[in-house]
Amino acid sequence: MSEDFLIEMGYAGLTGRLKRLSDAFMYQTRDFYREHDSEIEPNWHMIFLLLQKNETMTVTEIADALQLSHPAIVKLINKMKKRGYINSNLDPKDNRRYNLVLSQKAKKELPVLEAYWEAGNKALEEMLEHNTLLLEQLEQLEARMAEADFKTRMDKLLINE
Amino acid sequence: MSEDFLIEMGYAGLTGRLKRLSDAFMYQTRDFYREHDSEIEPNWHMIFLLLQKNETMTVTEIADALQLSHPAIVKLINKMKKRGYINSNLDPKDNRRYNLVLSQKAKKELPVLEAYWEAGNKALEEMLEHNTLLLEQLEQLEARMAEADFKTRMDKLLINE
DNA sequence: TCTAAATATGTAACTGGTTACACAAATGTA
DNA sequence: TACATTTGTGTAACCAGTTACATATTTAGA
């Protein structure tokens, strides 16, 4: 008897396995930060990197860059603001927008965080056995999803059944 | 400028991409069922398949087979019971256990559901271009995760930094 | 110039996972 | 046989995403 029914399910188990894996990464990353007495949370990483690269961005720009919904970003940013990692300034030219920047506190902590992230990258490389096959396969799947999403394809294939 | 910062991030973007993809599959599957006026929810699929294969199972057995926590299964099963898709009988030999089986209603709907699942499988095969490379790569990653989890590896690699 | 449409942000309700805890029943052992 | 341990189920509080809706500001066009 197989140990893992989702794997046994083949194609049909894919979705569940993606969820299970991403959850596992998330919870373990959270534990890692906690055990290192860091206030940082798992997916602040991508916000930090974006704001390092671009200096200042708005909620909508971040949502676009990460391809997440804007309420997801609002929640993330609010927590980072509350903890003092992000400053938000009303745009003087457009009073709808808030320009978000990393705070001094965030910048001061960056060296420590970068050591963590470097360890994370190395751990991932190790787990992927230093090749990018999985990343490439994922990128193809993302591209297929962008061309025609899963639901559209299901509908089409159901009609022709 | 890249369209998708998570892809640009390389290894570090992997977790977010897994989450994004699995969420997309989940929401689209949910929409598919809704538009076909089905009461079924996305991950009931795996429960149906398990109970077809094994006739009767307990919460704990299902949790083991799917490698999810037992409270996750309790929630799923409760909803399926409420909608009348699962019957639960106290085990006469062990009064802690409830033997779960598909209800008559569930069995009656199976042909329709199987048509949906077949469409889903075909759609996934199409998106994976009829090869199992992604599934194999995922299985390797799952195996690495089982050998030594992400957090353990991060800790080890941080110390040697 | 006035107003309709588009854009930026924020809020509410929902979903499907998690860990931590509680408790009853069964099992194993002194 | 009694009691400690293990096992099965259930509940509570939390988390990170979603869609749908609300509101304010800016932009565009008659």
Side-chain angles (χ1 to χ4, degrees), chain B residues 48 85 102-113:
Chain B
F48 270 98
Y85 287 90
L102 292 178
S103 69
Q104 277 313 109
K105 175 179 177 184
K107 285 178 184 157
K108 208 177 131 214
E109 274 189 40
L110 271 175
V112 177
L113 297 178

Side-chain angles (χ1 to χ4, degrees), chain B residues 43 69 72 75 79 94-96:
Chain B
N43 39 20
S69 70
K75 281 192 201 174
K79 202 177 249 180
D94 182 341
N95 284 308
R96 292 169 305 180

Side-chain angles (χ1 to χ4, degrees), chain A residues 2-9 20, chain B residues 64-67 142:
Chain A
S2 167
E3 293 291 324
D4 187 340
F5 190 66
L6 286 187
I7 293 179
E8 199 181 299
M9 279 172 76
R20 212 169 52 179
Chain B
D64 287 347
L66 300 178
Q67 296 188 23
E142 289 162 336

Side-chain angles (χ1 to χ4, degrees), chain A residues 28-46:
Chain A
Q28 292 180 25
T29 306
R30 198 183 57 185
D31 285 351
F32 175 91
Y33 286 127
R34 284 183 182 168
E35 287 184 17
H36 289 266
D37 295 316
S38 174
E39 286 182 307
I40 299 296
E41 299 191 10
N43 39 19
W44 295 8
H45 188 176
M46 50 197 189

